[in-house]
Amino acid sequence: MLGGIVMTFQLLLLSLAIGTMIAVLLLLMRISGRWWLSWPAQFYTYVFRGTPILVQIFIVYYGLPQFEWIRESIFWPILRDPFGCAILALSLNTGAYLSDGLAVITR
């Protein structure tokens, strides 16, 4: 049980740190006033907030390895590990939710 708690906190802290960086980048894109930056940030937020996190985790863990170019890329050591896939999926999801929350605050 203790090992599970430690892993949960590792997932929480890492995904929160990476997600915050993604959120700040997305927020800057949204408030830039340029449609070609704002629209992709809003689309990203729409997609990641509109799909369940479990589906996102399944797509990252089971879907991405289907592509040969992913298995031959520099990202494969991260994506072949379940912990790395969980960090990626949780970070992308956290970034979308935080950027939307920050956008509301900055208005």
Side-chain angles (χ1 to χ4, degrees):
M1 187 89 122
L2 186 60
I5 293 172
V6 170
M7 182 173 289
T8 300
F9 279 114
Q10 288 175 343
L11 285 169
L12 169 72
L13 294 175
L14 284 171
S15 65
L16 188 60
I18 296 168
T20 302
M21 290 186 279
I22 293 170
V24 169
L25 179 67
L26 289 171
L27 177 66
L28 292 174
M29 289 171 66
R30 285 179 73 170
I31 65 173
S32 69
R34 294 178 173 86
W35 68 269
W36 48 273
L37 287 175
S38 179
W39 188 85
Q42 290 176 0
F43 181 75
Y44 173 89
T45 303
Y46 175 78
V47 168
F48 277 92
R49 289 194 64 196
T51 56
I53 184 66
L54 187 59
V55 171
Q56 294 171 19
I57 292 171
F58 282 165
I59 288 172
V60 169
Y61 187 69
Y62 292 114
L64 291 181
Q66 300 294 320
F67 300 107
E68 186 70 30
W69 59 272
I70 293 283
R71 290 193 305 266
E72 294 173 357
S73 72
I74 60 170
F75 302 110
W76 182 240
I78 295 168
L79 292 174
R80 72 175 171 204
D81 180 38
F83 188 81
C85 289
I87 290 294
L88 178 64
L90 293 171
S91 297
L92 293 173
N93 187 277
T94 301
Y97 274 96
L98 280 178
S99 71
D100 209 32
L102 291 173
V104 170
I105 292 172
T106 58
R107 289 183 190 165

